[in-house]
Amino acid sequence: MSRLPAKAKLRLELGQALKSFQQSDSKFRVLRTVHPPATSSEATSTTSPKTLIILDSSFNPPSIAHQTLAESALKKSNSDRFTGPIRLLLLFSTMNADKAPSAASFDQRLAMMTIFAEDILENMKDDSSNYPIVPIDIGVTTAPYYTDKSTAIQSEGSAIYPDHPRHVHLIGFDTLTRFFAAKYYRDKFSPPFSALNPYFDAGHSLRATLRPDDDFGSVDSQKAFLAKLENGEMNQDGAKKEWAKQVELVPPSPKAGVSSTKIRKAAKAGRFNEVQDLCTPGVAEWVRSEKTYEEDDRGAKMA
Ligand SMILES: Nc1ncnc2c1ncn2[C@@H]1O[C@H](COP(=O)(O)OP(=O)(O)OP(=O)(O)O)[C@@H](O)[C@H]1O
Ligand SMILES: NC(=O)c1ccc[n+]([C@@H]2O[C@H](COP(=O)(O)O)[C@@H](O)[C@H]2O)c1
């Protein structure tokens, strides 16, 4: 293995770790931790977090919009309100609630997540007065829903997160509407939103970034969606209006128009300048050199 080029080695190691996870009954596992440059990995790996910031995504591929979600949450002026120590978890679901697995293979996505984590840490290092030093975990889960993801992390992540940290899931507005969509819970829960009680009772929260778009609607209509929770209009399905206090709405970032779909399409068409604009440097280099989307740029949400 030692003679393999670095990228092939990374894929192989992550592929093997993923296979071992998939062959187990586990629902959550951290496969790797990326440590901030120039800090002792021992020091950061033994820091048990009280707040776990989680970016769950298909990472197909990681984009600068994902980078903004993570960095904005970590920025000291925003993260000061979280109880420290803080840790960031990049989480990949092997089972997505709405998408068929396609385009980049799972070992490639895990490799891109690792490179993305290194890019984020490098970027934050350059602005260290504004960002805390945090390790970034690369994790996998089989759970497609946020409530189940958090339950799996609580029960199976207790060795790496022994202090039972509060979870802050970073999501975009499109995902907020799916978090609060009764159709996902109706089969097993009556009323459907009673499925969310354990999540909010545990003190977990959501940091939802507005994402104005032709498909997702204007900023005002997106704010109006959360107002329905606040006003009790979702109570008939079992929601509680006080949950709104655990949902932070974040103004859209200048990267609001960026999506992984755009990157896959640009890569397939060979527009690598565009890929470079939409990805962090290491990820853009990976997509180009590994020809990640040369054959297949699918990965759109299923109907
Ligand atoms: N530009 C953006 N603004 C706000 N949130 C975003 C943005 N891009 C992604 N997100 C959020 O990041 C999370 C993970 O994103 P996801 O992997 O679905 O990316 P995507 O770009 O929407 O993917 P795809 O284009 O493949 O559907 C989701 O909660 C999504 O809403
Ligand atoms: N109700 C829910 O918890 C719910 C609904 C739809 C998608 N999801 C998850 O949101 C994450 C992001 O989804 P997309 O990659 O489809 O944007 C995925 O892990 C997906 O499985 C969760």
Side-chain angles (χ1 to χ4, degrees):
M1 208 203 280
S2 58
R3 288 205 188 150
L4 280 175
K7 284 183 189 143
K9 184 166 176 273
L10 182 62
R11 262 181 90 166
L12 185 70
E13 285 173 1
L14 287 163
Q16 284 169 342
L18 176 67
K19 197 165 168 198
S20 146
F21 170 72
Q22 287 174 317
Q23 286 170 344
S24 72
D25 291 329
S26 306
K27 295 193 174 98
F28 168 73
R29 190 175 290 173
V30 169
L31 301 185
R32 177 175 284 250
T33 298
V34 181
H35 296 279
T39 56
S40 147
S41 61
E42 203 186 323
T44 54
S45 66
T46 51
T47 308
S48 168
K50 298 271 184 356
T51 301
L52 186 63
I53 297 181
I54 306 170
L55 175 57
D56 173 275
S57 164
S58 307
F59 297 106
N60 192 18
S63 72
I64 53 167
H66 298 138
Q67 178 189 19
T68 305
L69 294 190
E71 290 185 0
S72 154
L74 288 172
K75 201 165 191 173
K76 280 184 186 159
S77 50
N78 293 321
S79 63
D80 273 354
R81 79 189 75 158
F82 303 138
T83 310
I86 297 170
R87 204 163 167 120
L88 176 64
L89 168 65
L90 302 181
L91 186 62
F92 174 68
S93 296
T94 54
M95 309 255 287
N96 187 292
D98 300 299
K99 290 174 182 171
S102 58
S105 57
F106 289 177
D107 60 339
Q108 279 220 55
R109 300 210 208 166
L110 291 165
M112 289 193 285
M113 287 163 73
T114 306
I115 290 168
F116 176 64
E118 289 167 358
D119 284 348
I120 292 182
L121 289 175
E122 191 58 42
N123 195 43
M124 292 194 306
K125 189 187 80 172
D126 293 340
D127 194 2
S128 57
S129 58
N130 280 319
Y131 292 100
I133 295 174
V134 293
I136 305 183
D137 294 319
I138 309 296
V140 281
T141 180
T142 53
Y145 300 155
Y146 287 97
T147 43
D148 299 332
K149 292 176 207 284
S150 279
T151 306
I153 295 167
Q154 274 163 218
S155 59
E156 295 183 43
S158 56
I160 187 160
Y161 309 130
D163 284 322
H164 308 290
R166 298 223 163 140
H167 300 173
V168 180
H169 274 282
L170 307 182
I171 58 175
F173 176 80
D174 55 310
T175 306
L176 183 68
T177 61
R178 292 185 291 154
F179 185 92
F180 285 110
K183 69 172 185 180
Y184 291 109
Y185 312 110
R186 217 165 246 135
D187 280 358
K188 289 200 189 144
F189 295 89
S190 179
F193 287 143
S194 62
L196 305 179
N197 278 323
Y199 185 89
F200 288 112
D201 287 351
H204 301 324
S205 59
L206 299 170
R207 188 170 200 271
T209 299
L210 298 174
R211 200 177 181 186
D213 172 272
D214 289 348
D215 291 333
F216 309 142
S218 65
V219 164
D220 284 347
S221 71
Q222 296 186 1
K223 287 184 178 163
F225 178 83
L226 190 65
K228 283 205 256 174
L229 175 67
E230 267 163 341
N231 299 337
E233 287 172 56
M234 295 186 191
N235 288 9
Q236 76 272 18
D237 279 329
K240 295 179 183 158
K241 36 184 187 178
E242 58 268 26
W243 289 346
K245 295 193 194 92
Q246 284 159 262
V247 182
E248 183 191 3
L249 276 193
V250 180
S253 83
K255 318 280 163 45
V258 175
S259 71
S260 298
T261 303
K262 266 193 186 165
I263 302 168
R264 292 193 298 274
K265 283 191 195 319
K268 186 155 193 282
R271 297 193 304 271
F272 289 104
N273 285 345
E274 193 178 333
V275 172
Q276 235 166 353
D277 287 345
L278 301 176
C279 295
T280 60
V283 173
E285 202 278 319
W286 177 285
V287 167
R288 182 180 194 138
S289 63
E290 297 299 297
K291 304 180 172 37
T292 311
Y293 301 107
E294 196 172 88
E295 302 287 327
D296 182 0
D297 66 349
R298 290 173 304 141
K301 289 173 180 53
M302 289 162 77

